[in-house]
């Protein structure tokens, strides 16, 4: 089955700096890669996702890149703000190629943005 | 308001006492799933359901049961809870498994 590894487990950045979180996956058939943000005491919320037919996607200060050959994808947050402090999860799924597809999550990254 | 509702939010129980955590969504989603969240392990899928009466095991199904008799509800059943099932549980729903998943607020379960 799919295995998703996420690094680093914790990330401390100064406000205004950039943050990068990296994930690798094992199943070459995976083609859907979402990122979720979990604030304290809440359930995870989708912040961005990418499908295997694109290499990069951007939404304001957030961007995700995908390298299918190397089987890794990354989340980039620019101009970090204190409200970016949260736990971030990457995930991978086979998507439409597998009608019984599961969503496999990484272990999470605790991001702390210090003013 | 579109939402996934879990109940209860907090539960302390004793080993062996059957319990059910309810999950309901009002978005007419076909796909629903249960996860447990443990420190350092992220979110691990327990069971998922592609539609009414269609369920399958996730990565950590042992000790859990689910049912999907109606589209909106997907309860998680612990027939005989044990201390290693102490965890934070999340229910989620989405149109399919490759669309945005909407998570509930979580249920913190402690088994003593």
């Amino acid at each position: 089955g799919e295995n998703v590894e996420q690094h680093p487990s914790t990330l401390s950045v100064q406000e205004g700096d950039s943050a990068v979180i990296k994930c690798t996956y094992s199943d070459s058939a995976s083609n859907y890669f979402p990122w979720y943000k979990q604030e304290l005491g809440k359930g995870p919320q989708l912040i961005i996702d990418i499908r295997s037919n694109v290499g990069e996607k951007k939404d304001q200060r957030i961007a995700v890149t995908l390298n299918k050959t190397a089987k890794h994808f990354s989340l980039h947050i620019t101009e970090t703000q204190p409200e970016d402090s949260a736990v971030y999860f990457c995930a991978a799924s086979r998507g439409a190629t597998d009608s019984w597809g599961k969503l496999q999550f990484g272990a999470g990254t605790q991001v702390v943005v210090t003013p | 308001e579109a939402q996934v509702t879990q109940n209860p939010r907090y539960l302390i129980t004793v080993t062996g006492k059957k319990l059910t955590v309810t999950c309901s969504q009002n978005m007419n989603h076909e796909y629903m799933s249960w996860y447990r969240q443990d420190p350092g392990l992220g979110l691990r899928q327990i069971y998922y359901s592609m539609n009414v009466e269609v369920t399958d095991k996730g990565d950590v199904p042992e000790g859990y049961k689910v049912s999907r008799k109606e589209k909106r509800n997907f309860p998680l059943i612990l027939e005989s809870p044990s201390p290693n099932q102490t965890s934070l549980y999340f229910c989620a729903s989405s149109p399919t498994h490759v669309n945005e998943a909407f998570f509930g607020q979580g249920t913190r379960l402690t088994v003593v």
Side-chain angles (χ1 to χ4, degrees):
Chain A
E2 175 68 277
N3 182 47
V4 177
E5 292 193 359
Q6 183 172 347
H7 300 280
S9 56
T10 59
L11 181 58
S12 185
V13 296
Q14 287 286 118
E15 182 177 358
D17 288 348
S18 294
V20 180
I21 304 170
K22 299 181 179 181
C23 288
T24 60
Y25 61 97
S26 60
D27 187 350
S28 57
S30 290
N31 56 16
Y32 175 63
F33 307 93
W35 286 88
Y36 285 82
K37 175 184 180 182
Q38 185 181 26
E39 297 177 344
L40 197 62
K42 297 185 178 181
Q45 276 193 299
L46 181 77
I47 54 172
I48 194 166
D49 58 11
I50 191 167
R51 299 177 193 270
S52 61
N53 56 344
V54 293
E56 184 174 357
K57 186 175 178 180
K58 192 172 181 180
D59 183 3
Q60 298 183 330
R61 296 186 297 107
I62 293 171
V64 57
T65 58
L66 171 64
N67 183 328
K68 285 219 80 179
T69 303
K71 289 191 281 188
H72 68 69
F73 56 113
S74 301
L75 178 72
H76 304 254
I77 306 173
T78 58
E79 300 172 22
T80 53
Q81 300 167 6
E83 53 264 38
D84 294 329
S85 295
V87 178
Y88 292 81
F89 292 99
C90 63
S93 173
R94 282 185 159 203
T97 60
D98 180 354
S99 61
W100 292 100
K102 305 174 186 178
L103 191 60
Q104 193 79 28
F105 281 86
T109 297
Q110 174 74 62
V111 173
V112 177
V113 180
T114 53
Chain B
E1 181 190 353
Q3 61 185 4
V4 177
T5 304
Q6 291 178 231
N7 279 297
R9 291 289 311 278
Y10 302 92
L11 179 60
I12 301 174
T13 191
V14 296
T15 299
K17 186 176 181 182
K18 180 179 179 180
L19 66 91
T20 299
V21 184
T22 63
C23 175
S24 181
Q25 51 97 1
N26 62 1
M27 295 167 278
N28 201 37
H29 287 163
E30 292 190 349
Y31 187 83
M32 296 185 74
S33 56
W34 276 101
Y35 298 88
R36 61 177 289 174
Q37 183 175 10
D38 302 289
L41 297 176
L43 292 155
R44 293 181 293 168
Q45 195 171 42
I46 303 170
Y47 269 95
Y48 62 95
S49 170
M50 301 291 277
N51 213 327
V52 176
E53 301 291 3
V54 181
T55 63
D56 205 354
K57 297 177 182 178
D59 294 317
V60 288
E62 295 78 21
Y64 304 94
K65 283 176 58 177
V66 293
S67 69
R68 188 90 181 274
K69 293 183 169 53
E70 308 164 281
K71 201 171 190 178
R72 62 182 292 127
N73 296 323
F74 190 45
L76 179 70
I77 303 157
L78 284 72
E79 294 270 2
S80 183
S82 62
N84 64 11
Q85 292 179 296
T86 292
S87 187
L88 178 58
Y89 292 86
F90 286 101
C91 177
S93 77
S94 54
T96 72
H97 58 279
V98 289
N99 295 107
E100 177 178 3
F102 293 83
F103 283 80
Q105 288 286 79
T107 296
R108 185 163 293 281
L109 172 66
T110 302
V111 183
V112 298

